Amino acid sequence: MRYRKLGRTEMEVSEIGYGAWGIGGKQWLGGTDEESVRALRRAFELGLNFIDTALAYGDGHSERLVGSVVKNAAHRVYIATKVPPKNRIWPAAPGSPVGDVFPYEYIMSCTEESLRNLKVDSIDLQQLHVWDPGWMQRDEWKRAFEDLRTSGKVRYTGISINDHQPDTALEAVASGLIDAVQVIYNIFDQTPERNLFAAAQRHNVGVLARVPLDEGSLTGAIREDTAFEGDEFRAFYFRGDRKTQVVERVEALRADLDGVPGTLPEIALRFVITHPAVSTVIPGMRRVTTVESSLGVSDTGPLPEAIVEKLRNHAWNKNFYR
Ligand SMILES: NC(=O)c1ccc[n+]([C@@H]2O[C@H](COP(=O)([O-])OP(=O)(O)OC[C@H]3O[C@@H](n4cnc5c(N)ncnc54)[C@H](OP(=O)(O)O)[C@@H]3O)[C@@H](O)[C@H]2O)c1
């Protein structure tokens, strides 16, 4: 496993981090806590030292699972979590008053709850779970972040950018107020390369690349007849004719990747860590087998430029979160 500096922080984080949404259950069905704990422990054994969770993932369940295993890791594991929007609207509706979404007292009390769930004295990276650039003019969240850092309850702060809108964080990145951004970056959504990544490098802000496998499209496992349990999130994400669209895109991708070593999800993760602005990529993982496959990607290094060039043609402008 290779490690990269997370922006201006002193944290050296594993290139492959742990996306902990799925292990929260509820929004992702089909896993078990026992399997998730085994997957987390295996990830630590293989050198992973960074986890991205959120208070909203399974209403604290993901945080509690993470809290139950990190202390037994043989090395220090850094934890990032998030304050959910108070109005429970993901992503933030444009122009939402910050008082409806992130009032000062609410950020403070959510952080206390996360500290209890995680059983730690300090959160390494606290993030706002949604973002609106209009909030740059407002003080509530800035004061809350500052007070949390001063008290030592939070070490560093960041924002998780709304789906497929990387440029809405450019002002925040340049402001010096945040240490990291979390953004969708994968073979289909390459838009952070246009402006955000250069800004993050210029201002020494860390980048957490989320949803590297497009919620499963880029695993190659989504087929026309793939069914999801109950009303879980992916049943919504892949509704209607979207599975057919995915199958067509993935077939074209596979044809272009013929001869490239590794499975499709491994190449997809390798694409993400090829960009030097990325501090860590955080695939969602619930099983030992996916952990072993994903973490092995770090040792393969960046993709050759010729392959990256081919992948440029597979960018896909869509928003399945709506
Ligand atoms: N607004 C936000 O801030 C926000 C929104 C979405 C996600 N996130 C963060 O980003 C993380 C990643 O996104 P995500 O979990 O939604 O989606 P994702 O990482 O794009 O995809 C997760 C899926 O990929 C599978 N997978 C992972 N590695 C694999 C491998 N090597 N081979 C085959 N399959 C593999 C997982 O399988 P198994 O689960 O079966 O192991 C899971 O089904 C989240 O966990 C969360 O931490 C943040």
Side-chain angles (χ1 to χ4, degrees):
M1 176 64 73
R2 297 181 221 213
Y3 300 82
R4 300 183 185 189
K5 196 136 179 305
L6 185 81
R8 63 175 77 95
T9 79
E10 94 304 338
M11 292 190 276
E12 297 270 344
V13 297
S14 48
E15 279 182 339
I16 317 291
Y18 204 110
W21 183 16
I23 65 168
K26 286 199 177 173
Q27 295 106 338
W28 285 71
L29 302 176
T32 66
D33 287 353
E34 293 69 30
E35 178 101 61
S36 301
V37 166
R38 277 199 294 275
L40 283 160
R41 290 193 175 133
R42 183 71 183 129
F44 302 154
E45 280 169 16
L46 295 173
L48 179 144
N49 76 347
F50 185 85
I51 303 179
D52 176 71
T53 181
L55 184 54
Y57 295 167
D59 297 324
H61 189 69
S62 171
E63 286 186 334
R64 286 189 288 275
L65 271 188
V66 168
S68 70
V69 292
V70 282
K71 288 214 169 69
N72 298 323
H75 53 259
R76 169 84 153 84
V77 178
Y78 298 115
I79 303 173
T81 193
K82 311 184 194 79
V83 183
K86 187 175 183 205
N87 61 3
R88 314 306 282 185
I89 296 177
W90 274 271
S96 303
V98 74
D100 291 356
V101 189
F102 292 125
Y104 177 92
E105 285 302 340
Y106 172 79
I107 294 177
M108 304 307 266
S109 66
C110 285
T111 302
E112 293 293 345
E113 201 177 335
S114 290
L115 285 165
R116 284 193 295 276
N117 286 339
L118 291 163
K119 296 194 186 68
V120 294
D121 300 325
S122 182
I123 290 166
D124 296 301
L125 176 66
Q126 177 63 298
Q127 307 158 96
L128 300 180
H129 207 147
V130 296
W131 180 244
D132 184 296
W135 299 338
M136 281 309 297
Q137 319 317 323
R138 301 301 302 260
D139 280 341
E140 293 89 330
W141 66 275
K142 297 179 196 168
R143 266 197 305 120
F145 272 3
E146 193 181 330
D147 290 354
L148 286 169
R149 281 192 302 259
T150 306
S151 67
K153 291 187 174 171
V154 161
R155 297 178 63 218
Y156 299 105
T157 52
I159 59 177
S160 187
I161 307 172
N162 283 357
D163 309 319
H164 307 300
Q165 299 179 355
D167 287 359
T168 59
L170 291 176
E171 197 183 341
V173 164
S175 71
L177 292 168
I178 52 167
D179 305 297
V181 285
Q182 179 169 150
V183 67
I184 296 177
Y185 179 54
N186 57 44
I187 292 172
F188 291 150
D189 185 353
Q190 305 180 17
T191 53
E193 290 181 25
R194 270 187 226 148
N195 302 308
L196 183 77
F197 284 172
Q201 285 177 306
R202 193 171 330 118
H203 298 285
N204 210 5
V205 166
V207 172
L208 319 187
R210 79 170 186 256
V211 196
L213 301 172
D214 187 31
E215 309 291 6
S217 307
L218 290 165
T219 67
I222 304 294
R223 296 192 315 260
E224 265 110 349
D225 61 354
T226 302
F228 296 102
E229 282 183 45
D231 59 356
E232 77 150 283
F233 159 75
R234 287 174 300 172
F236 169 83
Y237 192 82
F238 294 111
R239 72 191 183 279
D241 73 342
R242 290 172 171 189
K243 283 181 285 211
T244 311
Q245 295 180 45
V246 165
V247 168
E248 282 168 13
R249 293 276 174 171
V250 168
E251 269 173 19
L253 187 54
R254 280 193 200 280
D256 257 1
L257 289 173
D258 195 30
V260 180
T263 65
L264 178 62
E266 288 164 0
I267 297 166
L269 293 176
R270 215 173 146 200
F271 168 80
V272 175
I273 59 167
T274 295
H275 202 292
V278 171
S279 317
T280 181
V281 58
I282 49 168
M285 301 177 287
R286 296 173 297 167
R287 297 168 223 285
V288 168
T289 46
T290 41
V291 162
E292 289 174 346
S293 158
S294 296
L295 270 59
V297 167
S298 176
D299 295 331
T300 60
L303 278 174
E305 187 51 38
I307 310 285
V308 173
E309 274 309 310
K310 272 192 187 177
L311 294 176
R312 297 268 170 259
N313 301 325
H314 293 275
W316 181 12
N317 183 9
K318 65 168 173 56
N319 189 349
F320 282 5
Y321 295 96
R322 293 202 284 244

